[in-house]
Amino acid sequence: PQPQNMHMQQRPVNSQPPQNMHMQPRPVNSQLSHPQNMHPLHLSKSSSTKGRFLDNDRRINAGKKPMNKPSSDGRLNEMPRGAPRQSRPPPSSNQNQDFSRRPAPNRVVPHQGNHPGRQQNSRHGRRPPPAGPSSGSVISRPATNIFNGAINGAMEKVLSDSVPENPAPEKDMESRIAEMLFGKLMGSNFNAALTSENSVPGTANSSTSSSSGPPSNNATIVLTDVQGSTSLWEADPQAMQTALDIHDKILRQQCAAHNGYEIDTEGDAFFLAFHTPSDAFNFGLKAQIALFEAEWSDDILKISAAEEDGCFRGLRVRMGIHHGPVKSCKNEVTGRTEYVGEAMNIAKCVEGMTHGGQILTTFETWNSASNQGGSNLELTQVVDLGYHALKPKGSEDDLERRIIQLVPESLAFDYFAARRRHDDAEGTTKKAEPEKKGRQFDPPITEEQVAASFHDAPHVNHEVTIAFIYFNEIENQFDDPKPIVSDLIRLVGDLLVGTPGYHSQSNMLAFPDIAEAVEFGLNLLEELREKRLNNTDLSDLVKFGCVHDTFITMGPHKTTGRADYFGKVVNRAARITAKSDLGTVNFGVLADTNVKELPKLKDRYTYRFKGVKELKGVQEDMALYEVNFATKGSTPLGLSKKSTSRKR
């Protein structure tokens, strides 16, 4: 007796078809793909599976003359997109017979025998894969859309190894074959491919980025160079050649691992391009670690420019990174894509500022990467190096850019540990512990530093004056306060230039002492009274308060790289500012402070006692003093008379 489910079973050619056939009769005029194109595989003449399908064709069509003629170019006719597929025919013994592919017109070939509605299941051809991604639904048509562009030989092998002995019900057989094929062939990369096709351009996460090839329009440029390479070649050419081979291998491995593109090399310098800043930063950080851990020869480590010194070991590679618009062109000699434009020019300036083993980038480039979720940059030390004047090629004016230093956490100097205050049981400050080893660098090689860096932030003797600027009233008075607040913060930064003050957070400043802090606060109010912002006198809408005390520790902020202070002084300064009146500058001291120990202010300032205040979270009572100008006509702090008139 014949089994009921025969779609994967062999049967004699002239036998009656079973009652439950998986392919139901279709009208002759229905839109069907040619039987030759039913199978998703593109089988070559030398394929081991081809004979199996050929044998089936001959068995079904024994004695019939082929109905199709090859086209003039020898190619199969295109199959209509979305045409229905039929299940794979039953396997038969492999007959290694050769034949030419036949054309695939959209015709219905009746089955030989007593079942005219059954269609021929010839499987020896399919249409060429489309040039771009399939527009069909992967879920509804897996055999049509999933396999376009797949590797022919690999898929044939998967199919030959994946035919079940006891097939599933006919209704999901097509999906089961699809699952077996892409499960074995594609693996986990299949889902990644779907994700990349459906992702929005420019928002790809660096950790799952599948971009390849040279970037276009916008690129993250990375320029590298070996410090002291000339002296290394002079000292030991053989050892330097071996070391340079190690260096080149590491950079190329990390470049490939992070979807980078090698533009060119000049000696020991690499010119690289990445699709995203995150990829570029991960490349630089991983490369620095790999260079430090590389198996350098003893001969190269004997040379001073490559000797082991703390967290430096082997060749010291400097790296400059910047992301921005670029224009690409082909190098006629190398055939590689080259880049010109803002990103390349600024990257060259940034790389020129670096020291060996150092990674520098612009703040906007770092900020775009740090704002990306899953950027894998958590184990990175970020250090703010302040604003610097850059002179990129093709620019008539200097560009001011805030520069950020990145160091792998495993190689970084621990500023928080080195600048921690240690008190004994009696409250006496103990001598600081010896500084731990880690990468520290000289100041950047720059034309001009125009704003203070993390290294300029006050920290001597663990003392600092913390000041806060509160502008809550501006937010209450204006419908759209954000532009005004942004301009106010920018004005604060401009006024800090040339002063010992440091911009720690948007509304938090650090000074060496109270006198410097209150002088800055008074000059800020004077600027606001002169309607520098929004053509409005905003001086009565802000508060300025400060406190001088010791801090527990300080170091670079995890994300911004700016100086971050910890200790009672921060909370006390915030509470004093909150207790201050609008439009005033104030400082606070402990209530039992002797009048003679009050800070020495300049002659043009006077202060008056405002009372003892109980501050939230502060155990001791604090005395509040308000500071005012004793005389008028002073020049705002941080601005020369020339620059003051220009700003006005």
Side-chain angles (χ1 to χ4, degrees), residues 487-519:
D487 289 341
L488 174 59
I489 294 173
R490 191 176 298 109
L491 176 62
V492 170
D494 291 340
L495 295 178
L496 283 171
V497 175
T499 75
Y502 179 77
H503 210 159
S504 181
Q505 298 176 14
S506 59
N507 67 333
M508 175 177 157
L509 315 176
F511 296 87
D513 56 53
I514 284 183
E516 297 286 354
V518 297
E519 181 178 10

Side-chain angles (χ1 to χ4, degrees), residues 140-455:
S140 62
R141 297 288 183 188
T144 302
N145 300 311
I146 293 178
F147 308 107
N148 288 338
I151 304 172
N152 300 335
M155 294 186 73
E156 293 173 12
K157 184 178 187 305
V158 172
L159 182 63
S160 63
D161 295 340
S162 304
V163 178
E165 296 181 359
N166 299 314
E170 58 198 49
K171 60 182 180 181
D172 65 344
M173 188 60 195
E174 186 178 53
S175 298
R176 287 177 59 84
I177 294 176
E179 292 174 2
M180 288 187 291
L181 283 169
F182 72 71
K184 287 191 175 183
L185 176 68
M186 311 297 280
S188 61
N189 292 332
F190 179 76
N191 289 333
L194 292 180
T195 303
S196 64
E197 287 185 5
N198 296 319
S199 61
V200 179
T203 61
N205 189 303
S206 66
S207 61
T208 59
S209 176
S210 59
S211 301
S212 60
S216 58
N217 299 328
N218 290 279
T220 307
I221 303 298
V222 180
L223 306 181
T224 76
D225 191 26
V226 176
Q227 177 176 278
S229 58
T230 302
S231 61
L232 290 168
W233 281 111
E234 292 291 332
D236 193 333
Q238 187 62 41
M240 180 55 179
Q241 180 61 62
T242 303
L244 200 59
D245 290 342
I246 297 174
H247 160 273
D248 292 354
K249 181 178 180 180
I250 289 174
L251 292 194
R252 288 193 170 104
Q253 285 178 341
Q254 294 300 326
C255 179
H258 296 93
N259 306 310
Y261 178 77
E262 182 177 333
I263 304 170
D264 199 2
T265 59
E266 290 183 4
D268 53 56
F270 273 68
F271 301 79
L272 308 173
F274 293 83
H275 294 266
T276 66
S278 295
D279 282 340
F281 293 142
N282 279 306
F283 156 80
L285 295 165
K286 298 290 180 62
Q288 290 291 354
I289 295 174
L291 289 166
F292 175 76
E293 297 175 349
E295 296 182 0
W296 305 106
S297 67
D298 294 337
D299 293 333
I300 200 71
L301 293 176
K302 292 177 182 177
I303 307 174
S304 59
E307 66 182 353
E308 185 169 0
D309 180 17
C311 285
F312 295 94
R313 181 176 175 275
L315 299 187
R316 290 146 170 80
V317 180
R318 46 182 175 238
M319 301 179 179
I321 304 175
H322 180 70
H323 180 85
V326 292
K327 295 181 180 179
S328 60
C329 58
K330 285 285 186 181
N331 185 299
E332 296 297 332
V333 177
T334 65
R336 306 289 289 176
T337 301
E338 292 186 337
Y339 297 94
V340 295
E342 176 185 304
M344 178 63 73
N345 296 336
I346 294 181
K348 289 180 179 179
C349 292
V350 174
E351 190 274 332
M353 302 170 62
T354 59
H355 301 281
Q358 187 178 37
I359 303 173
L360 295 185
T361 186
T362 52
F363 175 75
E364 56 266 34
T365 302
W366 162 250
N367 199 40
S368 65
S370 61
N371 288 338
Q372 261 188 357
S375 58
N376 296 326
L377 298 172
E378 293 82 4
L379 301 179
T380 306
Q381 183 192 68
V382 186
V383 180
D384 166 43
L385 298 184
Y387 281 87
H388 294 260
L390 308 181
K391 294 184 177 180
K393 179 181 178 181
S395 177
E396 297 180 357
D397 301 326
D398 292 350
L399 298 179
E400 291 186 0
R401 289 290 187 273
R402 183 179 163 201
I403 302 300
I404 297 295
Q405 173 187 290
L406 304 179
V407 184
E409 195 171 77
S410 59
L411 302 176
F413 178 80
D414 192 345
Y415 289 97
F416 286 102
R419 297 180 179 180
R420 180 173 296 276
R421 182 170 179 258
H422 300 276
D423 295 340
D424 56 20
E426 298 178 355
T428 305
T429 302
K430 298 167 59 178
K431 186 177 180 180
E433 296 180 355
E435 293 184 351
K436 298 182 179 181
K437 293 183 178 181
R439 290 194 174 182
Q440 297 185 84
F441 303 94
D442 293 333
I445 306 168
T446 181
E447 295 287 341
E448 180 185 6
Q449 180 177 336
V450 296
S453 72
F454 164 81
H455 300 293

Side-chain angles (χ1 to χ4, degrees), residues 95-118:
Q95 305 292 335
N96 293 322
Q97 303 180 30
D98 195 7
F99 62 95
S100 298
R101 293 185 298 173
R102 290 173 289 179
N106 295 322
R107 301 179 62 181
V108 176
V109 181
H111 177 70
Q112 181 181 4
N114 299 324
H115 191 57
R118 175 75 179 263

